[in-house]
Amino acid sequence: MKFLILALCIVAAMADPHWIMLDNDAVDHVKSSWKKVSHDEVDILAAVFKDHPDIQAKFPKFAGKDLESIKGTAAFATHAGRIVGFFGEYVALLGSEANQPAIKSLLHNLGTSHKGRGVVASQFSGFRDSMTNYLKAYSNWNADVSDSWDDAFDKAYAVIFETL
Ligand code: HEM
């Protein structure tokens, strides 16, 4: 009977379209690769802005400015720390069922705050492409790590895009 209830709970949870669980190996791949770049906040945000001037243009402090001239500023470091640091929070929460509500509200709040700024899904996708390329270049990247990040992004973006 206990087994049946447990099985029903698992089935119900997996039917939830916002179930942000990766398998254990994927969690390990995401966490280990993130560790390699987690202090590169400034370089990651700079890579995003370089690839996508339309994303930079959304930032009131940086719109229309030369990337090289803003990259070394304290304001840039603060923004990069907040934005890229978000992934640190997300990655840290992955891997535990108990963290599901926290993960969902983190992602939902990000979607809500960015909807208010007029950010669109294609810009989030551009951000993802640049970040993935950065990870590819500077982490322990391989086919498994790549699949794991795809899963981590797909699941996170499903929640964010529903809010946008
Ligand atoms: C997965 C991708 C992204 C993450 C994790 C992220 C994260 C964040 C975080 C944590 C903040 C500060 C807290 C908040 O206001 O919500 C923020 C602010 C902001 N984000 Fe994002 N963001 C992402 C993508 C984007 C994109 C694609 C754009 C623009 C096209 C954008 C534009 C902004 C702007 C304009 C702010 C406010 C900056 C200010 O305070 O002057 N973000 N973002």
Side-chain angles (χ1 to χ4, degrees), residues 9 33 44 53 55 67 85 91-92 102 116 119 121-123 153-154:
C9 288
S33 50
I44 294 174
I55 295 182
L67 182 55
V91 170
V119 179
S122 61
Q123 291 174 312
F153 265 118
D154 285 347

Side-chain angles (χ1 to χ4, degrees), residues 35-112:
K35 224 173 164 180
K36 308 255 182 221
V37 304
S38 63
H39 297 298
D40 298 357
E41 295 102 331
V42 164
D43 288 329
I44 294 174
L45 187 62
V48 171
F49 282 4
K50 189 169 182 217
D51 294 343
H52 304 284
D54 63 305
I55 295 182
Q56 182 178 331
K58 280 273 180 196
F59 284 75
K61 283 202 171 70
F62 307 129
K65 296 194 176 153
D66 174 47
L67 182 55
E68 285 311 310
S69 72
I70 55 172
K71 194 183 160 188
T73 64
F76 195 87
T78 303
H79 274 71
R82 269 195 219 129
I83 293 164
V84 181
F86 176 95
F87 282 97
E89 287 183 63
Y90 175 56
V91 170
L93 289 167
L94 285 175
S96 163
E97 286 180 34
N99 291 339
Q100 289 294 307
I103 296 178
K104 283 180 205 166
S105 70
L106 189 72
L107 297 167
H108 178 81
N109 292 343
L110 189 78
T112 309

Side-chain angles (χ1 to χ4, degrees), residues 4 25 31 51 55 62 70 72 77 86 91 106 119 127 132-133 135-136 152 157 164:
L4 184 66
D25 283 350
K31 286 187 192 259
D51 294 343
I55 295 182
F62 307 129
I70 55 172
F86 176 95
V91 170
L106 189 72
V119 179
F127 190 111
T132 304
N133 284 336
L135 278 157
K136 211 177 269 185
Y157 275 25
L164 277 187

Side-chain angles (χ1 to χ4, degrees), residues 121-138:
S122 61
Q123 291 174 312
F124 268 97
S125 299
F127 190 111
R128 170 181 179 162
D129 291 343
S130 299
M131 220 185 95
T132 304
N133 284 336
Y134 192 92
L135 278 157
K136 211 177 269 185
Y138 296 104

